[in-house]
Amino acid sequence: MSMSEPTRLALPTSLPAIEPGQVWLAGAGPGDPGLLTLLAAKGLSEADVIVHDALVNEDCLKLARSGAVLEYAGKRGGKPSAKQRDISLRLVELAKAGHRVLRLKGGDPFVFGRGGEEALTLIEHGVPFRIVPGITAGIGGLAYAGIPVTHREVNHAVTFLTGHDSSGVVPDRIDWDAIGRGSPVIVMYMAMKHMGQITANLMSAGRRADEPVAFVCNAATPQQTVLETTLARAEADMLAAGIEPPAIVVIGEVVRLRPSLDWLGAMSGRKLLPDPFGTDRKDTA
């Protein structure tokens, strides 16, 4: 049997179009351009101006139509960044000028992405908008590391949290005791700066010092690296490894599944284990 050429993907004609004076608040996913939604890809092909974050993969931006203007509006901790209010008002300005505007964010705009703040500013100024969800790094990035956020042998709940608030400190509104006691798996965004305090808070709440932890840096990109450690060793091992943001941090027994589910590693020759927990159980309905 001969191999035929793959069929080129055509976007469905039923997808909506960006209208002049409209803003799409869209997620680009955690890195791999293949994780863009069809709607986000269509937005890239139609927008006059694309206002993008630092975490948007440059390969995603290559899908922009010829002649589109790319505006950088990234916010990175510890580095000079545009103020959020200025970014929001820039979207208003561009839309009021009649441009078709795509606001492209890494991950999902409504998961620690300030999408709600920008949408409220658009409402304040009477600018029409559409929300285009994306694959958040706390799910898609971990999947690229071979770590599921849920597994029947481990957890029936997962908590997503941010490691710092708008002032740059560990959020004091997080009930660390409740999360430490009640959440079997914790996925943290923007947590590296305060890792020592966060791990101390969780161990004070009763989490085991030897509980598995993984850092997934530059998730779903060719530069992806994964550090596996424990709750007690997390800060020291992170510093020793010299890893830097952006990173997703996951705490919980799901990390033990990585030797079995590291599908990217398997492509490079890693032998995957069929029974990560040593239970030798068969799948049940």
Side-chain angles (χ1 to χ4, degrees):
M1 181 182 295
S2 62
M3 298 292 290
S4 60
E5 288 294 321
T7 302
R8 183 173 295 276
L9 178 66
L11 294 177
T13 57
S14 60
L15 292 177
I18 303 183
E19 302 295 337
Q22 186 182 41
V23 177
W24 282 15
L25 300 172
D32 187 337
L35 299 181
L36 283 166
T37 65
L38 293 178
L39 200 53
K42 190 169 191 288
L44 279 162
S45 73
E46 294 178 345
D48 300 314
V49 184
I50 299 167
V51 182
H52 64 92
D53 278 355
L55 297 180
V56 174
N57 190 326
E58 289 185 2
D59 287 339
C60 294
L61 298 175
K62 293 176 182 177
L63 298 175
R65 72 171 182 84
S66 176
V69 176
L70 304 181
E71 288 195 10
Y72 176 78
K75 296 177 71 64
R76 297 294 296 273
K79 297 181 180 180
S81 303
K83 295 184 181 300
Q84 183 59 56
R85 183 64 176 173
D86 293 337
I87 295 172
S88 299
L89 291 175
R90 178 58 176 161
L91 299 177
V92 172
E93 179 185 18
L94 291 168
K96 292 289 189 182
H99 296 299
R100 295 171 294 181
V101 184
L102 180 68
R103 173 66 168 119
L104 192 62
K105 298 168 173 287
D108 180 280
F110 275 10
V111 182
F112 305 119
R114 301 186 178 93
E117 297 171 50
E118 293 174 4
L120 290 173
T121 301
L122 296 175
I123 294 169
E124 177 187 351
H125 291 270
V127 174
F129 65 94
R130 172 183 286 271
I131 304 300
V132 181
I135 298 174
T136 184
I139 295 175
L142 293 184
Y144 266 54
I147 302 172
V149 292
T150 67
H151 185 74
R152 287 194 300 174
E153 299 284 343
V154 175
N155 64 311
H156 296 87
V158 58
T159 296
F160 296 90
L161 61 85
T162 176
H164 65 75
D165 61 18
S166 58
S167 64
V169 301
V170 177
D172 57 11
R173 286 182 291 181
I174 291 179
D175 189 337
W176 293 101
D177 286 341
I179 290 174
R181 292 192 307 269
S183 184
V185 173
I186 304 169
V187 177
M188 300 189 293
Y189 297 68
M190 299 169 285
M192 293 178 65
K193 181 179 179 181
H194 302 297
M195 185 54 54
Q197 182 179 344
I198 291 170
T199 55
N201 288 347
L202 291 172
M203 286 188 288
S204 294
R207 304 295 286 222
R208 299 189 339 265
D210 65 347
E211 186 170 13
V213 174
F215 294 78
V216 183
C217 305
N218 297 303
T221 72
Q223 294 74 42
Q224 175 176 294
T225 58
V226 181
L227 171 66
E228 296 177 61
T229 179
T230 64
L231 197 59
R233 293 286 311 169
E235 182 184 33
D237 288 350
M238 175 192 76
L239 295 173
I243 59 175
E244 296 182 351
I248 287 290
V249 185
V250 56
I251 301 170
E253 292 298 310
V254 289
V255 175
R256 297 192 191 277
L257 285 152
R258 187 164 187 263
S260 297
L261 303 180
D262 181 15
W263 58 275
L264 276 175
M267 291 181 179
S268 300
R270 180 176 187 176
K271 183 176 176 57
L272 301 183
L273 305 177
D275 188 20
F277 299 117
T279 58
D280 196 28
R281 295 178 182 176
K282 303 297 182 182
D283 286 344
T284 58

